[in-house]
């Protein structure tokens, strides 16, 4: 499996996972146990057509479209504002879902607040709204791990500025990089843990590492599914995605298990789906699920444009 197939799998896998979760967002685990998701559905929670993805994929694609100028945070900020105000990279021309922390941050960006100061910086601002979009940063070649972690934290800060969210994004990006390099799930996550702990001089990020002990624990896969949380807390989302990757055998199993955890189904399944798509490649994505995916051609074009620039 080559780099291009993994990148295509990651982007489409993220969007497919998101679309799988949109119709059942906020449903409990118990409700989904009685009526499990077995494949794409339409309507449901947000009354959106089959194949519709949410703000998770919209903002991921905004970042993806800016990878050639990703160090220009104002460029990324303008893409986020254009998404909310003009429907840029929305599935059907309008925003139908946005988290409160993200909305407030984009309002500040629109008002001219510098990007690195716009995001919420309080402990209560550690939702998963920056983790859900950070996937494409792991595609960058020629960047050191230290540079990627710093860049991930800075890009998180546009909406989520607390060190915990910044660190979660760094961990996610390092995991994507390891997977694109061909590492198996356990190998990738173990190496991410070793790498981030070796960066012990990262200031406020150092004291945040304790919150990710379980996500980086070699015994994570042994934790029962009942003890894996799937709400909107950034630590829980990353932990659930890592757990799914470690305990599943292919893309389909990864995202179906993720979505049926319930609660924040679109984000949990988007993050897990992006990692699984990178792991197993585009050829492992169910074609029947891809066919109704909103703006599939546009997404494929964006992927092709990026790959041709590498």
């Amino acid at each position: 499996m080559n780099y291009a197939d993994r990148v295509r799998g990651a982007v489409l896998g993220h969007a497919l996972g998101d679309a799988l979760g949109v119709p059942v967002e906020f449903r409990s685990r118990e409700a989904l146990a009685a009526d499990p998701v077995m494949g794409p559905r339409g309507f449901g929670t947000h009354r959106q057509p089959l194949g519709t993805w949410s703000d998770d994929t919209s903002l991921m694609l905004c970042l993806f479209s800016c990878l050639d100028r990703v160090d220009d945070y104002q460029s990324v900020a303008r893409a986020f504002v254009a998404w909310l105000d003009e429907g840029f990279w929305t599935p059907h021309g309008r925003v139908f879902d946005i988290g409160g922390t993200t909305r407030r941050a984009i309002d500040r960006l629109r008002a001219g607040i510098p990007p690195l100061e716009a995001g919420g910086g309080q402990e209560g601002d550690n939702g998963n709204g920056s983790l859900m979009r950070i996937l494409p940063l792991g595609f960058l070649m020629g960047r050191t791990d230290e540079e990627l972690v710093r860049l991930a934290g800075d890009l998180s800060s546009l909406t989520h500025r607390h060190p915990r969210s910044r660190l979660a994004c760094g961990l996610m990006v390092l995991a994507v990089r390891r997977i694109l390099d061909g590492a198996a799930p356990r190998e990738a996550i173990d190496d991410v843990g070793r790498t981030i702990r070796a960066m012990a001089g990262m200031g406020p990020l150092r004291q945040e590492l304790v919150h990710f002990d379980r996500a980086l624990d070699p015994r994570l896969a042994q934790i029962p599914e009942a003890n894996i949380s799937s709400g909107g807390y950034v630590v829980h989302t990353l932990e659930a995605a890592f757990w799914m990757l470690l305990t599943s055998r292919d893309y389909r199993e990864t995202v179906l298990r993720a979505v049926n955890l319930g609660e924040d189904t679109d984000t949990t399944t988007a993050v897990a789906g992006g990692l699984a798509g990178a792991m197993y490649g585009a050829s492992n994505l169910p074609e029947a699920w891809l066919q109704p995916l909103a703006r599939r051609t546009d997404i494929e074009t964006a992927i092709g444009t990026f790959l041709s620039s590498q």
Side-chain angles (χ1 to χ4, degrees):
M1 190 186 311
N2 59 32
Y3 169 81
D5 190 53
R6 289 186 188 275
V7 167
R8 183 168 173 261
V11 175
L12 289 170
H14 181 289
L16 278 182
D18 186 3
L20 201 65
V22 164
V24 294
E25 188 178 13
F26 310 128
R27 292 194 68 184
S28 70
R29 194 170 304 187
E30 293 72 23
L32 288 172
D35 179 27
V37 175
M38 302 301 292
R41 299 180 179 183
F43 302 94
T45 302
H46 296 283
R47 301 182 181 179
Q48 297 295 313
L50 181 71
T52 299
W53 27 268
S54 74
D55 54 330
D56 300 47
T57 298
S58 289
L59 291 172
M60 182 272 288
L61 292 170
C62 284
L63 178 58
F64 190 39
S65 71
C66 294
L67 279 187
D68 61 339
R69 54 196 183 280
V70 75
D71 296 285
D72 177 6
Y73 303 142
Q74 287 286 2
S75 178
V76 181
R78 286 192 292 272
F80 289 177
V81 172
W83 164 69
L84 185 57
D85 291 354
E86 304 166 22
F88 177 60
W89 270 124
T90 54
H92 307 300
R94 65 180 183 85
V95 174
F96 66 87
D97 187 25
I98 181 172
T101 301
T102 297
R103 177 182 287 278
R104 290 187 293 273
I106 293 178
D107 288 345
R108 289 191 284 268
L109 290 169
R110 188 191 301 107
I113 298 297
L116 297 187
E117 300 173 17
Q122 302 302 309
E123 188 162 8
D125 294 318
N126 282 310
N128 52 25
S130 60
L131 180 69
M132 71 187 193
R133 67 170 187 263
I134 206 68
L135 171 82
L137 199 57
F139 305 160
L140 291 180
M141 309 293 285
R143 304 279 184 136
T144 67
D145 288 340
E146 290 81 1
E147 288 171 336
L148 283 181
V149 169
R150 176 194 58 77
L151 190 54
D154 286 351
L155 288 167
S156 174
S157 292
L158 271 65
T159 57
H160 294 69
R161 188 165 45 90
H162 191 277
R164 197 168 308 158
S165 289
R166 290 173 58 92
L167 179 54
C169 288
L171 294 170
M172 174 70 176
V173 169
L174 290 181
V176 174
R177 165 172 274 193
R178 300 302 188 267
I179 290 168
L180 291 180
D181 285 342
R186 184 69 272 164
E187 178 189 2
I189 296 169
D190 286 349
D191 193 61
V192 168
R194 285 191 296 269
T195 300
I196 206 70
R197 291 184 182 106
M199 298 180 191
M202 295 188 301
L205 294 187
R206 182 177 182 179
Q207 66 192 39
E208 293 294 333
L209 270 173
V210 65
H211 297 284
F212 297 92
D213 280 350
R214 200 166 84 148
L216 298 173
D217 193 319
R219 298 164 295 179
L220 175 63
Q222 300 171 25
I223 295 174
E225 183 174 282
N227 294 337
I228 299 297
S229 299
S230 54
Y233 179 36
V234 67
V235 174
H236 290 164
T237 302
L238 185 66
E239 183 179 291
F242 282 0
W243 187 89
M244 290 294 164
L245 199 64
L246 291 167
T247 59
S248 302
R249 295 162 294 182
D250 57 20
Y251 177 84
R252 183 191 296 263
E253 182 181 10
T254 302
V255 294
L256 288 178
R257 294 180 72 190
V259 72
N260 286 303
L261 289 178
E263 298 184 64
D264 197 4
T265 51
D266 56 341
T267 303
T268 302
T269 314
V271 175
L275 290 171
M279 178 64 62
Y280 300 109
S283 57
N284 193 246
L285 304 178
E287 179 59 36
W289 294 11
L290 282 167
Q291 288 175 3
L293 186 69
R295 297 187 65 178
R296 177 184 176 183
T297 299
D298 292 335
I299 296 173
E300 294 267 22
T301 298
I303 296 168
T305 299
F306 169 73
L307 290 173
S308 67
S309 71
Q310 298 304 293

